[in-house]
Amino acid sequence: MARAINDAGRKVPGARKDKHAALGASDLVGMSDEEVAKDARKDNIWPKPDYAALVASGMPAQVAAAVKVIRDKIPQTSTLKGAATQRRSREAFVDMVSAARDTLLGCRTLDDVRSVYDRLKAEWNTRERQSAWFSVVRGRYSPFHLQSADSIKARELVAQGFPGEVEPWKRNLKVLGQGAGVVVYQSGRYLGTFASREEAYDVLRAKFEAAASKKADEPGLPTSRPHLDFVTRSGLDDRRDGRDVSPEEFIEIFGFTSVEFGNWVPDAERQIMLNMAYDSLLDLAEVLELDPLDLSLGGRLSAGFGSRGHGGRRAAEYQPSVAVFHFTRMNGAGSLAHEFAHALDHFLGLGTEVLSKSGVPCGTGWTHPLPGRVSDALAHRGWQLATSFEDACEAMKTRRKTKADAIGAVEALVRRFEVAIASQEKTRAKAQAEGAATVVRLVSKDIAENTERMEGQLKRIEALKAQPETFDFGSMATSFYSEALKLRGSYSEPAELFARAFECFVFDELAARGANSDYLVHGVEEDRYADVDEWRGNPYPAGEERERIGALLRTMMRNAVPVIEEVRHLAEHVNGR
């Protein structure tokens, strides 16, 4: 009988199978600052209510809609300024949102909802509790106050079918008036005046369907990870010789604190994922020239398989609050290098006094750029590592302009002048035909000014052509960064740029050896997303930029190895190993 594959090592809090229904003040006890920063959010403190169930239990639909409107106005995280620590700010936020949740869910009439502001203010806007009050209230604005616009929105929600599912084209809609002359706004934007609500709905539905049809024909976003029918590994040693690895051996070889599995992941799949992760981590250690024990980054990391995610598009994620990198069952294949990059970024930043808005100590700044230089944030890791990490990060966003780049930029400006002048000449010709002398005079002046400016740019082009290729033409955004901006969302966040570039570095190092390791990294070929008709942008660096970033990451890793080894040796000394 096959043995069961169970969790092993230290229990790490926060697995989905262990989560409470709502985060409370008592849950923060014993949590690290990073855990508090990650988890002290509105949606954890007050999970999205089942409004249909509230209405079924006796809360009137209009009241439930008003509760929803107020909940939606509450920020996701603390807005408190001037708190002694970020942790205190978030602890105060948990207290305030918990109180608002309990008060609002106890409402049964609109008058109850209208009184919530005064009730909360009397209890929380006191000298002892002001930190909690102002973790949600900003200046004179309070989300707890049910204003007239909120009441209108609540009524509109009910008219649209709330608490049932609201059709996409009806969302954030405000309809004013009855019968003829209905005025319609959506997300605060005036859409028009219609003969009736029904006519407005017909027009809006048709516009939505037309926009959706047009969007379907536009270039799409890259998938988070191209699907693999088979996970392959070639050109590398078979270090297991076909045998299965146990969770305990996985921990022993890599120094992980734990390995955990989701309750719904069958044993056969657990074993497959564990074996592939084992092989891939050894491949990564070889590429990075690290001892396998160092991949746990001083024994800090844990691995989760199907234990923390929710499936869907996200293949995997690194959770800095508990130092776990998690794989969403088989969708996690190919994400290991990416998630290790996040873990490395976080590990190197531990101990820094330079924090970004994300609250995560790291080298990149995580979701926001650091307030100072990257090398300052990593100064405690030594100048060689700090500067090489900074060089790699800067190369991801900017590059030196070539002579062709500089000339091309000015030529584009010249073309804009040519288009403007051609349009103005048409306007002047029409004015001349109509005898509009004043218009002719003004437009002629504009044409002369634009012609003079264009001639100045043409001279600038000649001056640039005369410069040697070695001349300093300045800098510009890399294609890697420009493409990330086109993709929008998290693609251009510092930590994501670093992780995707790191993926390419590992992939290219393997390719140079004639090898591939799909579970470690795949789908990052530089030409995979190059078709502009199919994709909105390329999430990965390409060409000379890719080569330069890869070389800088290699240098950075060589400087990081001694730091990682030193932390491991210190941990072994402390633990008596």
Side-chain angles (χ1 to χ4, degrees), residues 417-435:
F417 278 123
E418 289 175 340
V419 170
I421 292 169
S423 175
Q424 289 165 342
E425 286 177 338
K426 288 183 180 179
T427 300
R428 182 171 63 181
K430 182 180 179 182
Q432 286 174 333
E434 295 173 351

Side-chain angles (χ1 to χ4, degrees), residues 6-212:
N6 297 317
D7 295 359
R10 177 178 65 85
K11 178 68 176 176
V12 180
R16 180 153 60 102
K17 58 187 178 183
D18 303 325
K19 280 195 177 292
H20 301 295
L23 181 76
S26 61
D27 296 314
L28 304 183
V29 178
M31 290 175 64
S32 69
D33 290 348
E34 292 153 299
E35 288 177 279
V36 173
K38 173 180 177 291
D39 290 339
R41 300 180 62 80
K42 176 181 69 177
D43 286 344
N44 292 333
I45 306 162
W46 187 1
K48 183 179 178 181
D50 183 340
Y51 293 106
L54 287 176
V55 172
S57 68
M59 180 182 285
Q62 187 78 23
V63 175
V67 170
K68 179 185 186 311
V69 170
I70 291 181
R71 182 190 179 277
D72 290 349
K73 292 196 298 177
I74 297 174
Q76 272 294 344
T77 190
S78 175
T79 62
L80 182 62
K81 306 296 183 184
T85 64
Q86 289 188 8
R87 183 188 184 99
R88 179 64 196 114
S89 170
R90 291 181 169 96
E91 288 172 342
F93 182 74
V94 172
D95 290 338
M96 191 68 251
V97 175
S98 298
R101 175 198 65 209
D102 296 342
T103 305
L104 282 161
L105 291 180
C107 294
R108 287 298 177 268
T109 67
L110 283 176
D111 284 339
D112 289 343
V113 180
R114 294 187 185 101
S115 71
V116 165
Y117 171 77
D118 290 331
R119 291 159 61 190
L120 290 175
K121 183 179 180 181
E123 183 179 356
W124 291 89
N125 190 16
T126 64
R127 185 170 184 176
E128 296 77 16
R129 289 180 158 184
Q130 271 195 341
S131 59
W133 179 254
F134 286 110
S135 71
V136 174
V137 176
R138 297 188 295 276
R140 295 184 178 180
Y141 172 77
S142 170
F144 307 135
H145 187 203
L146 187 69
Q147 300 175 334
S148 58
D150 298 328
S151 297
I152 293 172
K153 187 172 184 179
R155 286 200 301 271
E156 191 59 44
L157 279 172
V158 175
Q160 293 163 7
F162 176 88
E165 187 66 28
V166 177
E167 295 180 75
W169 57 271
K170 284 185 178 180
R171 289 172 188 161
N172 299 313
L173 208 63
K174 183 191 294 184
V175 180
L176 303 177
Q178 299 291 332
V182 169
V183 180
V184 179
Y185 295 84
Q186 191 164 40
S187 299
R189 185 168 61 89
Y190 171 72
L191 296 184
T193 301
F194 301 88
S196 66
R197 178 184 289 265
E198 291 70 24
E199 181 191 47
Y201 281 179
D202 289 342
V203 172
L204 294 176
R205 185 189 298 108
K207 284 185 177 180
F208 176 83
E209 291 173 351

Side-chain angles (χ1 to χ4, degrees), residues 421 424 428 442-455:
I421 292 169
Q424 289 165 342
R428 182 171 63 181
L442 292 174
V443 174
S444 296
K445 181 181 178 182
D446 291 340
I447 291 173
E449 289 177 352
N450 279 335
T451 301
E452 183 179 355
R453 291 170 184 165
M454 183 177 69
E455 289 173 349

Side-chain angles (χ1 to χ4, degrees), residues 489-520:
S490 64
Y491 282 95
S492 61
E493 290 177 358
E496 291 302 322
L497 289 172
F498 176 76
R500 294 202 309 280
F502 191 89
E503 285 184 75
C504 295
F505 158 64
V506 172
F507 181 89
D508 293 344
E509 288 283 320
L510 287 169
R513 306 174 191 203
N516 81 287
S517 181
D518 280 346
Y519 197 81
L520 174 60

